[in-house]
Amino acid sequence: MFSRTFAKRIALFFILTCLFAVSAWAQSTGYLSGTVQDAQGAAMAGVKVTVADPARNLQIDAVTNSDGTFTFTNLQPSTYTVTVEAKNFKKYIQTGIVINASDRQSTGTIKLEVGALTGETVQVIADAAQLQIKTESGEQSTAINNQQLQNLAVNGRNYLDLLKLTPGVVVTTGFATSGPGGLGNINVNGGRGGKNNLTIDGTTNVDTGSNGTQHIALSLDNIAEFKVLTSNYQAEYGRSAGGEIQIITKSGTSQFHGTGYYFHRHEQFNANSFFNNANGFRSNLPGVLNNPRNFYRYNQQGYNIGGPVYLPKIMEKTKDKLFFFWSQEWQQQLVPQAARNSRVPTAAEAAGDFSNTFDGNGAKIYIKDPLLTGACSATDQTACFRDGATLNKIPAARINPNGTKILNLFRRFDNLPLNPTGINGYRYNHDSQQSVSYPRSENSIRLDYNMSE
């Protein structure tokens, strides 16, 4: 059982956390306005207007001014309901008003009908197509909501891959690896790469030391909305000359909800690469190809849960005001790196025979015997190794058996005899491509507190 003092401290921590987040939220919250008139088109002042978010039990009241207009600012992304009430007029309710991050939406002109305030209601569902028309700002933007995020196939489950769905954005890099990847190869409306800003819940997530990397990354299942402002956005987003990428995390609601998931990817479901097939040389092991499909594996598992916060003995009504959302994900990845060409010992070289060994330019290599004095070159082979009549061959008695074993470790991957007419000539005789592990753990908690109207 919690003590009352401990519970009060926890409550104070939650409140302070929310207060510190207010300034950050201002750059990712929405704006809603409208005008109230009577049936003859005259402005109605002093009319009560209420905007509500049923999911979080949030309700905010306002009163129209002398022009009949009302304004609500700092609205978190959600779907809202607007209610207008005036004496001797029917109650007006408009539902389905979608506010995305940084949106400036308008209900348009609301005309009240004469009638009783109680018992008579005019209910309207917001026109989704009309909400797409920006009447309050000239910004160009693209928003991807949570439902779309759940249904889109995102390679590597990296949210930056969603940039490829945004008109005017050119991405010249891949985001197959989850994690705080780079932002340097993203061009928005012809702008330079590395000149974009990325925020999470209104707080910048760009490493200003490079302008090309992020501080943290989030699980795709922790994102409620992904939005990109490409041009003509407000001055408050003026940190960077390029695009404004906004990530909004999920928040808890008045009911408990949670999910668990597991995503798996394996190279057995992939086709081999073109060059692996083209260079599928036989290894020194009979019947074994040295260019198989590389390890390409994702194992991502996680869960999230959100809902109201109950604090014992104090703040009995916190279930209607204080909400949490907790997300945790683990990632195990094996991702192929760029292919490499290298030079490994041939079977003859591992046995000490360098009689057919050449350098990268095709010039014959001569092996000097350290026990002999004199020269060892193309013009004088006095001090070169010989095994009988074979020049540049080390006698078996002079070879350290441990060195032979080490060379054979490399020779296991020998796939192409050195040949001046071969694909790589004398320079390379081995192709390789390594898969690198990227283990990660991502943990996130968000708290929302409705202090008052």
Side-chain angles (χ1 to χ4, degrees):
M1 182 66 68
F2 291 113
S3 68
R4 183 176 296 273
T5 301
F6 177 76
K8 288 182 178 180
R9 290 177 179 177
I10 293 295
L12 179 60
F13 169 76
F14 287 158
I15 294 172
L16 289 176
T17 301
C18 297
L19 286 174
F20 285 130
V22 168
S23 60
W25 263 115
Q27 291 193 347
S28 59
T29 52
Y31 167 103
L32 179 64
S33 63
T35 303
V36 179
Q37 297 178 352
D38 61 18
Q40 285 71 41
M44 297 183 62
V47 175
K48 179 183 177 182
V49 182
T50 301
V51 62
D53 178 5
R56 288 191 289 265
N57 292 324
L58 175 67
Q59 180 174 307
I60 305 175
D61 294 331
V63 177
T64 58
N65 61 16
S66 58
D67 297 324
T69 61
F70 61 88
T71 302
F72 295 98
T73 60
N74 296 331
L75 296 178
Q76 295 185 21
S78 189
T79 301
Y80 289 89
T81 297
V82 170
T83 303
V84 183
E85 300 174 274
K87 188 177 181 180
N88 299 325
F89 289 87
K90 297 178 181 179
K91 180 188 292 186
Y92 177 93
I93 300 176
Q94 184 173 350
T95 60
I97 301 175
V98 178
I99 303 292
N100 295 314
S102 309
D103 269 358
R104 291 178 173 262
Q105 286 290 13
S106 173
T107 61
T109 300
I110 298 174
K111 291 194 175 184
L112 299 184
E113 299 179 8
V114 176
L117 178 61
T118 58
E120 294 187 86
T121 302
V122 176
Q123 188 161 353
V124 178
I125 300 176
D127 187 346
Q130 184 177 359
L131 291 175
Q132 297 297 320
I133 301 175
K134 304 294 184 182
T135 60
E136 298 297 318
S137 68
E139 70 184 37
Q140 297 296 314
S141 61
T142 299
I144 301 176
N145 59 37
N146 177 253
Q147 183 177 4
Q148 294 169 318
L149 287 171
Q150 297 299 319
N151 294 322
L152 288 171
V154 180
N155 187 18
R157 290 176 49 78
N158 189 324
Y159 53 74
L160 288 180
D161 209 53
L162 298 169
L163 290 167
K164 299 175 182 177
L165 303 177
T166 305
V169 178
V170 176
V171 179
T172 56
T173 187
F175 299 112
T177 304
S178 297
L183 297 168
N185 295 315
I186 301 170
N187 304 92
V188 179
N189 287 343
R192 296 181 61 184
K195 300 299 180 182
N196 306 301
N197 191 30
L198 187 150
T199 61
I200 296 179
D201 290 339
T203 301
T204 184
N205 190 40
V206 177
D207 182 355
T208 54
S210 66
N211 271 351
T213 55
Q214 304 174 74
H215 290 298
I216 63 171
L218 291 176
S219 162
L220 197 64
D221 285 71
N222 190 27
I223 297 176
E225 183 177 300
F226 179 92
K227 185 172 183 179
V228 184
L229 305 175
T230 56
S231 64
N232 294 345
Y233 42 79
Q234 290 75 31
E236 62 190 281
Y237 309 110
R239 175 195 174 276
S240 301
E244 176 78 16
I245 305 168
Q246 297 183 340
I247 310 296
I248 305 300
T249 60
K250 291 181 180 179
S251 62
T253 62
S254 57
Q255 296 180 344
F256 287 102
H257 294 280
T259 60
Y261 54 89
Y262 174 72
F263 291 89
H264 176 65
R265 175 175 177 172
H266 197 283
E267 70 274 359
Q268 66 182 354
F269 302 112
N270 298 345
N272 207 347
S273 70
F274 172 83
F275 290 104
N276 274 2
N277 287 328
N279 299 334
F281 309 110
R282 297 286 175 176
S283 70
N284 63 325
L285 300 178
V288 178
L289 280 175
N290 198 34
N291 293 78
R293 287 172 292 187
N294 298 96
F295 292 130
Y296 206 159
R297 302 176 184 179
Y298 290 154
N299 289 283
Q300 299 179 355
Q301 55 271 345
Y303 68 94
N304 53 63
I305 184 172
V309 175
Y310 294 91
L311 296 177
K313 294 187 178 181
I314 65 169
M315 301 176 65
E316 287 79 4
K317 296 182 180 180
T318 55
K319 65 183 182 67
D320 295 327
K321 287 182 171 292
L322 185 60
F323 309 96
F324 79 96
F325 190 88
W326 166 255
S327 173
Q328 191 169 32
E329 181 175 282
W330 298 271
Q331 303 172 2
Q332 295 291 332
Q333 306 171 38
L334 284 173
V335 181
Q337 303 302 291
R340 297 180 179 181
N341 295 322
S342 57
R343 172 72 161 83
V344 298
T346 64
E349 291 169 347
D353 187 355
F354 294 87
S355 59
N356 290 311
T357 298
F358 302 84
D359 64 17
N361 296 319
K364 192 175 182 64
I365 291 178
Y366 294 88
I367 309 299
K368 188 178 186 304
D369 187 341
L371 300 181
L372 300 177
T373 58
C376 180
S377 65
T379 58
D380 185 357
Q381 293 89 37
T382 304
C384 292
F385 266 112
R386 292 178 184 272
D387 186 10
T390 305
L391 181 66
N392 287 328
K393 183 177 180 181
I394 304 173
R398 300 279 303 277
I399 298 176
N400 188 318
N402 293 325
T404 301
K405 293 178 180 179
I406 293 174
L407 288 178
N408 283 330
L409 290 176
F410 292 96
R411 195 175 68 80
R412 288 181 57 195
F413 303 102
D414 182 13
N415 59 8
L416 179 65
L418 291 173
N419 188 338
T421 61
I423 295 176
N424 291 317
Y426 292 112
R427 191 176 299 273
Y428 306 116
N429 65 344
H430 175 61
D431 302 318
S432 64
Q433 190 175 17
Q434 298 297 317
S435 295
V436 178
S437 175
Y438 291 91
R440 288 180 53 79
S441 175
E442 296 176 356
N443 306 278
S444 173
I445 185 169
R446 168 173 164 169
L447 298 169
D448 292 271
Y449 181 58
N450 301 328
M451 299 182 67
S452 67
E453 296 181 358

